[in-house]
Amino acid sequence: MAEKYQDLGFAKLDTDRKERTGFAEVVFCQGKDDSFLTQIFKNLFEQNGEVLGTRAAPEQAELLRQTFPDIVYDKVSRIIKLEKPNKERIGKIAVCTAGTADISVAEEAAQTAEFFGGNVLRIYDVGVSGIHRLLSKTEELNSANCVVAVAGMEGALASVVGGLVSVPVIAVPTSVGYGASFNGLSALLTMLNSCSNGISVVNIDNGFGAGYLATQINRLAVNGSTKGK
């Protein structure tokens, strides 16, 4: 069987991934050698005409900008991307946070979903300590095909959202919080033990995983397929 990957020695680029899954390979930038990162971006861009990278440091963005002057870097989400212009976006994904400190993870989710062709509605700082803020957005949340709920501390936001909406909820625990939050473990356990139905949970601070899953749900709702159009 023909190899469906490109062997660079230090990396094997999955050239068949978009055909199999509907999503081209994404680059996890953190910890990668400069020369490896540049070559991976170059090859993926040549293959797909666009590239998405996550967990990129500002120094890595400056490095890649030397080769790709049009590259876009967002320091909040640490997303770095070369994106096709005038991309069509479909459906609607709501991304909400308990607090402003959770926005970096939420933006990783939101920008991942946008890169893969979804419309994203951002509803930030609607945590349970002022629950009227969330309740005022119930209609908007229900207008989406799914909701990403991002929260640290005790992570209660996902349970409350799950009890308010008729669409799937993707819960994202964050490492935001004081000592007994155990760097997000408290929020993770709260979300896993939620009594609200229709909630799935990704790993601590995994905005990318949430954005990816939300895109699959959104595509199913619009097209009946996770591979998009």
Side-chain angles (χ1 to χ4, degrees):
M1 187 176 69
E3 294 177 346
K4 294 185 177 182
Y5 61 86
Q6 184 179 14
D7 195 343
L8 303 180
F10 55 84
K12 292 178 176 61
L13 304 184
D14 189 355
T15 55
D16 189 50
R17 188 174 301 185
K18 188 172 184 179
E19 181 66 25
R20 294 193 323 271
T21 70
F23 297 82
E25 185 170 5
V26 173
V27 184
F28 182 78
C29 300
Q30 185 176 318
K32 281 187 170 58
D33 177 84
D34 288 353
S35 62
F36 294 170
L37 182 63
T38 301
Q39 191 62 44
I40 289 169
F41 257 76
K42 181 176 182 294
N43 285 52
L44 287 177
F45 182 71
E46 289 174 354
Q47 177 187 320
N48 301 310
E50 60 181 4
V51 192
L52 176 67
T54 64
R55 300 302 169 94
E59 298 78 14
Q60 291 176 312
E62 289 307 310
L63 169 75
L64 289 170
R65 192 167 281 119
Q66 295 173 22
T67 305
F68 306 101
D70 295 330
I71 207 160
V72 175
Y73 177 64
D74 176 48
K75 65 180 181 180
V76 175
S77 64
R78 293 183 286 169
I79 288 282
I80 191 165
K81 61 188 176 183
L82 286 162
E83 192 169 13
K84 292 177 181 177
N86 304 316
K87 184 180 293 184
E88 181 184 2
R89 292 193 168 90
I90 62 171
K92 186 190 293 185
I93 297 164
V95 178
C96 58
T97 72
T100 304
D102 301 308
I103 289 177
S104 60
V105 176
E107 276 300 307
E108 185 179 70
Q111 293 187 42
T112 295
E114 287 176 333
F115 183 87
F116 287 123
N119 289 305
V120 175
L121 170 66
R122 291 162 169 83
I123 303 174
Y124 291 165
D125 195 25
V126 288
V128 298
S129 61
I131 202 167
H132 57 290
R133 300 172 301 178
L134 177 64
L135 296 176
S136 72
K137 301 296 183 180
T138 302
E139 186 175 345
E140 292 178 61
L141 291 170
N142 268 307
S143 72
N145 291 319
C146 63
V147 179
V148 177
V150 185
M153 298 291 188
E154 85 290 5
L157 178 67
S159 293
V160 177
V161 171
L164 292 173
V165 301
S166 60
V167 298
V169 176
I170 303 165
V172 190
T174 73
S175 52
V176 172
Y178 295 102
S181 70
F182 298 108
N183 293 316
L185 183 59
S186 175
L188 173 64
L189 293 175
T190 296
M191 291 170 174
L192 287 171
N193 285 286
S194 175
C195 65
S196 295
N197 296 310
I199 296 175
S200 64
V201 186
V202 299
N203 208 347
I204 298 167
D205 292 335
N206 188 12
F208 169 75
Y212 188 108
L213 180 56
T215 301
Q216 290 181 307
I217 295 170
N218 188 52
R219 288 179 179 180
L220 277 170
V222 176
N223 300 324
S225 170
T226 59
K227 293 188 178 183
K229 293 186 176 180

